Amino acid sequence: MPDKPTDASASPAPAPRTKHAQLARPDLGEFNRHELAILGAPCGSIKQLTARLLPLLTPTLRVAYVDADHAAGDDAAQGGNGGQDAILQAGATAELTDKITFARLDTKRGFDKFSQPEWLHHQSLVLVNGNHFRARQQLVILDPAKPVEKKLDRLTDVRALLLPEGVTEVPAYLRAHLGEANVPIIPLHDLETLAELILQEWHAAAPPLRGLVLAGGRSQRMGQDKGKLSYHQGQEQRARAAELLAGFCQDVHVSCRPDQVVELEYAGLRPLPDTFADLGPLSGLLSAFRLDPNAAWLVVACDLPFLSETTLSHLVEHRQPARMATAYQSPENEWPEPLITIWEPSSYGTLLRFLSLGYSCPRKSLINSDIELLPPPAPAELRNVNTPEEAEQARQELG
């Protein structure tokens, strides 16, 4: 039979139905973005090595340790309470104890691949007892009493081999498993070299920096779009902010409302329409992390006409990727200034958590989190312009 004639007026076929939204996911391991399992030695030796390494790592990183409790497990297997205190035994599902110098949370909640990163997302590095748990990178101690021959499936990305005193050879089975991989071999007692290796690799894996200009506000006090105002040789402020960020970021997006997309494209800018509506600056920030949850976002508001490359350079040079964010202290008070800040990937979960508690102010997230707070080198450059009177004054001062 001949083919049926095509009806040019027919509607296009509907897009195939998808059950779930296509979301970019954070690049997490079992416990954290950055995790190292230590194996190849008895559990006590692994914990002792961790305790000796921590003073060399913690000045820079926020480090957590993951282990299992043999005694509690054995007790539970024999019908005991498995280390639970009276409150958990009585039926509580969790107990939060303020120990004055630290806090402890005992919970019966399952320890699974979703809760582990959630509990530990504030940490910049997680060290793991590899005898009990997996991590996507490993340190292997070559203790003859604890060979790893039966755990080769756990050795997916070995970062160093550690030689205890008296051990000089790498076992043939391990050499064969590693193949052509150029794995450093370090004496177990040389903690300084091991710590330096961990820190170097951590910094080398720091998230890339992307730029975000916040230009999606309604500009109600100004009476016109603040991003379109010009203070520098006819250049719109949103374009100037993007140009400043371009010198420090792999790319720059302009946060906007959906109705602004076309005009931004015509202006030669890269629009990022809000996918979280009516949350003020938080809309743009969350939309950026939805686009790429594995990048750090250098965020700048479009109403900072005095901002210079020098102030941005100072912020980037003093960035601390191990903290949730790096921000300037406001010239007006002791609080952080959220709209010229480097937000690290770990801040995504924190911002969503504050939103779930009814707070849409990014500054509140900064105030209540572990951040690097810097005094601005030129405080006047953090001055924003919100009204026609302030805009006119700024034009006079900038000439």
Side-chain angles (χ1 to χ4, degrees):
M1 293 179 62
D3 292 338
K4 292 182 179 180
T6 301
D7 182 359
S9 63
S11 301
R17 178 180 178 274
T18 57
K19 186 175 181 180
H20 301 291
Q22 297 299 310
L23 299 177
R25 291 181 179 171
D27 183 18
L28 301 173
E30 296 292 321
F31 299 95
N32 194 263
R33 298 173 186 275
H34 304 279
E35 56 182 15
L36 276 170
I38 307 173
L39 63 165
C43 294
S45 299
I46 291 172
K47 192 165 189 176
Q48 183 182 55
L49 173 62
T50 301
R52 294 167 61 206
L53 268 175
L54 284 172
L56 302 175
L57 299 176
T58 52
T60 303
L61 305 179
R62 303 297 185 265
V63 185
Y65 179 61
V66 174
D67 204 346
D69 186 342
H70 291 278
D74 292 342
D75 180 65
Q78 296 168 11
N81 59 36
Q84 298 180 28
D85 69 9
I87 295 298
L88 292 184
Q89 291 181 58
T93 55
E95 181 181 7
L96 177 62
T97 308
D98 184 349
K99 293 286 189 176
I100 309 305
T101 58
F102 69 97
R104 188 179 73 195
L105 175 64
D106 296 312
T107 174
K108 291 183 178 179
R109 178 180 176 183
F111 200 57
D112 56 43
K113 68 176 182 178
F114 300 108
S115 61
Q116 289 170 179
E118 177 188 0
W119 284 337
L120 296 169
H121 88 280
H122 290 297
Q123 310 302 318
S124 44
L125 173 67
V126 175
L127 299 177
V128 179
N129 183 338
N131 290 338
H132 297 289
F133 305 103
R134 295 174 181 265
R136 57 183 178 183
Q137 293 186 321
Q138 305 85 36
L139 301 173
V140 180
I141 303 172
L142 301 183
D143 187 338
K146 196 79 170 178
V148 294
E149 189 170 8
K150 295 182 179 180
K151 297 180 179 178
L152 294 179
D153 62 311
R154 299 189 180 195
L155 306 186
T156 56
D157 187 5
V158 178
R159 307 314 301 162
L161 302 175
L162 309 178
L163 299 182
E165 187 174 355
V167 177
T168 58
E169 295 289 333
V170 177
Y173 71 84
L174 188 52
R175 290 200 304 269
H177 177 76
L178 296 174
E180 300 298 320
N182 185 22
V183 179
I185 300 175
I186 301 172
L188 184 58
H189 65 81
D190 191 355
L191 298 177
E192 289 77 12
T193 298
L194 178 56
E196 182 180 358
L197 173 69
I198 293 172
L199 290 169
Q200 285 179 349
E201 293 198 345
W202 191 93
H203 283 291
L209 195 59
R210 305 183 75 172
L212 183 70
V213 178
L214 295 174
R218 297 289 179 180
S219 304
Q220 293 177 339
R221 284 180 289 174
M222 183 65 71
Q224 58 181 308
D225 192 336
K226 289 189 290 185
K228 293 182 178 181
L229 297 180
S230 172
Y231 302 93
H232 301 273
Q233 290 79 48
Q235 186 181 31
E236 289 186 347
Q237 187 59 25
R238 59 192 181 184
R240 173 176 166 75
E243 184 178 274
L244 286 172
L245 290 178
F248 304 97
C249 305
Q250 67 175 29
D251 59 5
V252 179
H253 293 258
V254 178
S255 170
C256 64
R257 303 184 306 275
D259 60 277
Q260 294 175 294
V261 168
V262 173
E263 68 177 62
L264 286 168
E265 289 176 337
Y266 274 117
L269 300 171
R270 181 176 295 177
L272 179 60
D274 290 342
T275 52
F276 292 77
D278 301 322
L279 296 175
L282 185 61
S283 295
L285 190 49
L286 289 177
S287 299
F289 277 120
R290 182 176 180 180
L291 174 71
D292 187 353
N294 299 304
W297 288 91
L298 172 49
V299 175
V300 167
C302 69
D303 59 0
L304 298 170
F306 297 95
L307 183 63
S308 74
E309 184 178 298
T310 301
T311 291
L312 284 176
S313 177
H314 186 82
L315 184 69
V316 173
E317 288 172 5
H318 291 82
R319 173 191 176 192
Q320 295 294 332
R323 306 288 183 93
M324 192 195 80
T326 302
Y328 279 131
Q329 186 175 26
S330 171
E332 300 175 0
N333 48 52
E334 74 280 7
W335 293 338
E337 178 49 66
L339 304 187
I340 172 173
T341 289
I342 298 173
W343 295 83
E344 300 295 338
S346 63
S347 64
Y348 189 20
T350 299
L351 292 166
L352 288 171
R353 179 168 61 86
F354 271 82
L355 180 61
S356 73
L357 295 172
Y359 299 99
S360 63
C361 175
R363 174 175 277 160
K364 188 171 291 292
S365 299
L366 294 174
I367 292 172
N368 294 281
S369 300
D370 180 27
I371 70 169
E372 183 72 10
L373 188 59
L374 305 173
E381 293 190 13
L382 272 59
R383 171 178 149 204
N384 57 359
V385 174
N386 293 304
T387 67
E389 295 76 18
E390 291 173 353
E392 182 57 33
Q393 179 65 31
R395 289 191 185 94
Q396 294 178 13
E397 293 180 30
L398 290 167

